[in-house]
Amino acid sequence: LDVLFTKDQRPTPIYWVYRKQAEMVGGTLLSSQSSSPRIVALATRDSQGTISLLLGRSSCGTTGAWCNGSPYQTNDTPLPSVPVTISVNNVLAASSVDVHITRIPNENILNALPLPLDEGTTRISVQNGTVTFSISQFRDGDAYYITLTSIVTL
């Protein structure tokens, strides 16, 4: 547990990845895929219809010696940030959704991170049951927790 909390019991970035994954338990697992072989996506829908996504980009650096959470010092460097487009299919009964993005950074991985970093909320139209949005700078080793909340128009 020493990578989940600092010595003074404050949560680290790794804690937040596990916590966000645990919050997705109990939802309906959705099919997910990524256009990048280095980005892994887990998606669920809860009983209220909210879709949660947990995305991670792991490449372990240019030589593979650098990895998220590694306590070992290496001379390797992370790969450059990449733009990523995410499409979520089968968005039910909504003409638009609020997409809320939080980032769990890979910097100072063993230091405290009080909360994931709030990247903001954007309202996006649903087109033929699909929502598409982008992350302009997906950093090597970072994780994102994203929620899609349906907007019901009366």
Side-chain angles (χ1 to χ4, degrees), residues 41-123:
L42 174 65
T44 61
R45 179 183 290 117
D46 68 16
S47 60
Q48 287 77 42
T50 299
I51 295 173
S52 299
L53 303 164
L54 183 60
L55 307 173
R57 180 173 178 228
S58 60
S59 69
C60 295
T62 55
T63 67
W66 177 87
C67 253
N68 189 5
S70 174
Y72 308 106
Q73 298 295 320
T74 70
N75 292 326
D76 199 6
T77 57
L79 293 174
S81 297
V82 296
V84 174
T85 299
I86 299 111
S87 292
V88 180
N89 300 320
N90 301 317
V91 178
L92 305 175
S95 59
S96 62
V97 293
D98 280 344
V99 178
H100 182 237
I101 300 175
T102 57
R103 183 171 73 91
I104 303 168
N106 190 40
E107 301 97 29
N108 303 314
I109 191 110
L110 298 178
N111 291 337
L113 178 67
L115 290 170
L117 306 176
D118 191 334
E119 302 280 313
T121 301
T122 304
R123 185 160 292 175

Side-chain angles (χ1 to χ4, degrees), residues 8 10 19 26 29 33 38 46 53 74 80-81 83 99 107-108 110 124 127 129 134 141 151:
D8 58 352
R10 294 181 297 153
R19 167 127 180 225
L29 187 62
Q33 63 183 28
R38 302 279 187 208
D46 68 16
L53 303 164
T74 70
S81 297
V99 178
E107 301 97 29
N108 303 314
L110 298 178
I124 298 176
Q127 302 294 324
S134 297
I151 305 303

